[in-house]
Amino acid sequence: MAGSATIDKGSLLSPTSSRSVTETVNGSHKFVIQGFSLAKGMGVGKHIASDNFTVGGYQWAIYFYPDGKNPEDNSAYVSVFIALASEGTDVRALFELTLLDQSGKEKHKVHSHFDRTLDSGPYTLKYRGSELFSSESLYKDKAFLINWRYVFCDSLNLKCRGRMWGYKRFFRRALLENSDYLKDDCLKINCTVGVVVSAVDCPRLHSIRVPDSDIGAQFGMLLENMEGSDITFDVAGEKFRAHKLVLAARSPIFRSKFFEGSEEKNSEVEITDVEPKVFKAMLHFIYRDSLTEDVQLETSSSSPVSLVSDSLTAKLLEAADRYGLDRLRIMCESHLCKDISVKSVAEILALADRCKASELKAVCLRFSAENLAAVMRSDGFEHLKEHCPSLQSELLKTIAGCDEDCSSGGGKTRSVWAQLSDGGDTNGRRVRQRT
């Protein structure tokens, strides 16, 4: 048919959408007025100003009028206003003025726009050069002009004077002087400003995903390929090639050895304090910032060794302490923490103390205090008493702290001292008893 047009739906582009989000950026300022009695008599319309404070990217100030702002009130009221101190801009905002109760009763006097509906919406404070609206142009039949529209002015005498918003009759002065709001001749006023901001959130038709960092994998390949290596380590006859700069960047011990010492620079170094498998795992961490699979899969049940101190993770913790690898130490602490039980806690505690593993040590002390009766019956505790006497006093302090926590719990948890007379499942993970 002539003049008609049809839409080929197959040629339509994908629909688009956008969303406008309007919210407030909030900030508060406390204004302390010391010497209120001395401020009285300064004159009607004269104010004390707070320091400027920033909310939503704009400067604001609190104006306090000890003798009031309105000549008609004959200084019967104090006035409080919030002023826009930034120039060259109009700002829409919500406000809250709070006169703080200083008696501790929390009976503050609050005037707030927050959490309530305003028929006219947020107030607009307008920039008009250095001048404010005059009262003749501002008011008309108990109304005042905000954002080019008239809004009813309530009985509290709320005013918005261009760059200011507040209350001429904020509080009757005679009542204020005999109230809990005035203490030691001091008033405290808290002001909260919520600047209204709007933004359009539109989904991107195309995006580019930034992949996860692979710097660890790249350095790991450098270790595996041995390209550019300039140092060889002899560990019990097994050779490991590495790069001085990488080692020095990760370990203060290696940095001191390679670049701060005056001794002869050798291309081969013998290591006598670490086993080959432990040194290999340490190099893996230095280059890749992760634990080897052998360490990650190692648990107390899967490990062929009977003592925790003989496990790869424990030996790696000792190496981390010896070579100043703090992050590796924390990773080993986290792994060993999962293996804490009544049987193992004493041994892990001694290991943590020896390797300066403070977080693991704290966990062990707390666990021992909570399960004291069962832990004291373990073989590891006998070893602890004989070889680590200093830890006994630390354990006693933890027990005392735990006992106080239990006592303050309203009787829900029994005192750890009571566990001394109870039996415990020495194979259990946690035997803390509850009533």
Side-chain angles (χ1 to χ4, degrees):
M1 185 180 203
S4 65
T6 59
I7 298 177
D8 183 3
K9 294 184 177 181
S11 63
L12 289 176
L13 297 175
S14 300
T16 60
S17 64
S18 63
R19 179 181 62 166
S20 175
V21 180
T22 301
E23 56 189 359
T24 59
V25 178
N26 302 330
S28 297
H29 181 81
K30 181 187 286 186
F31 184 27
V32 179
I33 302 164
Q34 188 72 49
F36 170 75
S37 62
L38 298 176
K40 291 189 304 180
M42 65 187 304
V44 175
K46 295 185 178 180
H47 66 267
I48 300 171
S50 72
D51 192 14
N52 288 357
F53 58 96
T54 303
V55 179
Y58 301 97
Q59 291 283 306
W60 306 87
I62 304 172
Y63 288 177
F64 176 73
Y65 297 79
D67 295 321
K69 188 172 175 61
N70 190 359
E72 299 174 357
D73 291 331
N74 296 317
S75 301
Y77 293 88
V78 297
S79 305
V80 181
F81 279 76
I82 302 170
L84 173 63
S86 296
E87 296 185 354
T89 184
D90 296 350
V91 183
R92 298 178 68 236
L94 299 176
F95 305 100
E96 179 178 280
L97 285 170
T98 303
L99 185 59
L100 298 179
D101 178 5
Q102 301 187 65
S103 67
K105 300 175 183 177
E106 301 292 326
K107 294 183 179 180
H108 311 302
K109 181 176 177 60
V110 182
H111 294 295
S112 178
H113 297 150
F114 294 89
D115 300 324
R116 68 184 179 93
T117 302
L118 295 174
D119 294 336
S120 60
Y123 294 101
T124 299
L125 272 62
K126 291 184 159 297
Y127 173 70
R128 291 292 179 270
S130 60
E131 298 179 357
L132 301 179
F133 290 134
S134 67
S135 58
E136 290 77 17
S137 65
L138 187 63
Y139 305 111
K140 179 180 180 182
D141 298 330
K142 293 186 177 180
F144 56 93
L145 185 63
I146 299 178
N147 201 18
W148 304 107
R149 62 182 181 271
Y150 285 102
V151 180
F152 183 72
C153 181
D154 61 25
S155 59
L156 291 175
N157 205 18
L158 171 68
K159 302 296 179 187
C160 180
R161 298 183 56 81
R163 292 165 59 84
M164 299 170 61
W165 172 93
Y167 293 86
K168 283 188 174 182
R169 296 179 176 177
F170 184 74
F171 208 102
R172 188 175 289 274
R173 196 168 74 175
L175 296 177
L176 178 62
E177 292 173 351
N178 295 285
S179 70
D180 290 330
Y181 304 113
L182 182 65
K183 181 180 180 181
D184 298 329
D185 206 25
C186 174
L187 290 173
K188 296 181 180 180
I189 299 174
N190 193 74
C191 168
T192 299
V193 179
V195 177
V196 178
V197 295
S198 297
V200 176
D201 180 16
C202 54
R204 301 292 183 263
L205 296 178
H206 305 285
S207 61
I208 299 176
R209 179 183 174 274
V210 178
D212 295 334
S213 172
D214 59 352
I215 188 172
Q218 293 177 348
F219 272 89
M221 291 300 296
L222 194 65
L223 177 65
E224 292 180 12
N225 296 336
M226 297 180 291
E227 183 179 356
S229 61
D230 55 359
I231 187 70
T232 301
F233 294 96
D234 183 347
V235 187
E238 192 169 340
K239 306 290 186 178
F240 296 92
R241 293 172 61 183
H243 307 78
K244 290 182 180 179
L245 281 176
V246 176
L247 300 177
R250 300 283 276 166
S251 165
I253 304 303
F254 282 129
R255 180 167 59 250
S256 175
K257 186 176 185 63
F258 295 146
F259 298 109
E260 297 177 6
S262 58
E263 60 186 52
E264 182 181 353
K265 308 300 181 182
N266 297 321
S267 60
E268 183 168 320
V269 176
E270 183 179 7
I271 300 295
T272 59
D273 53 3
V274 178
E275 298 177 15
K277 64 176 181 179
V278 178
F279 191 80
K280 182 178 180 180
M282 186 177 73
L283 283 181
H284 178 96
F285 166 79
I286 288 175
Y287 279 80
R288 294 182 176 269
D289 200 45
S290 64
L291 299 176
T292 63
E293 187 174 348
D294 291 342
V295 175
Q296 293 177 9
L297 296 178
E298 185 180 56
T299 63
S300 58
S301 58
S302 64
S303 177
V305 298
S306 57
L307 296 177
V308 174
S309 58
D310 292 333
S311 67
L312 177 58
T313 308
K315 292 179 178 180
L316 191 58
L317 174 63
E318 293 177 326
D321 176 56
R322 188 173 295 120
Y323 287 91
L325 301 168
D326 293 337
R327 176 170 164 78
L328 177 59
R329 174 173 25 216
I330 292 293
M331 293 171 73
C332 292
E333 286 183 72
S334 176
H335 195 77
L336 288 168
C337 184
K338 302 172 185 177
D339 290 330
I340 293 177
S341 67
V342 169
K343 282 186 174 182
S344 65
V345 65
E347 186 184 359
I348 296 178
L349 174 58
L351 173 68
D353 183 62
R354 188 168 63 250
C355 297
K356 307 179 192 65
S358 57
E359 294 193 39
L360 181 61
K361 180 179 177 179
V363 173
C364 290
L365 287 170
R366 186 70 180 182
F367 180 90
S368 300
E370 292 172 347
N371 304 281
L372 184 60
V375 172
M376 290 183 68
R377 292 179 174 85
S378 66
D379 294 337
F381 190 78
E382 293 299 322
H383 176 83
L384 197 67
K385 289 196 300 181
E386 182 178 351
H387 295 90
C388 307
S390 62
L391 289 175
Q392 291 187 65
S393 60
E394 294 188 56
L395 181 56
L396 286 174
K397 291 179 183 178
T398 306
I399 292 170
C402 181
D403 202 38
E404 290 176 3
D405 292 342
C406 294
S407 299
S408 63
K412 293 182 179 180
T413 305
R414 299 179 61 195
S415 165
V416 292
W417 293 108
Q419 296 186 41
L420 284 169
S421 60
D422 295 336
D425 178 8
T426 56
N427 293 314
R429 296 273 303 170
R430 282 191 178 270
V431 295
R432 187 177 182 179
Q433 301 188 29
R434 299 181 181 273
T435 57

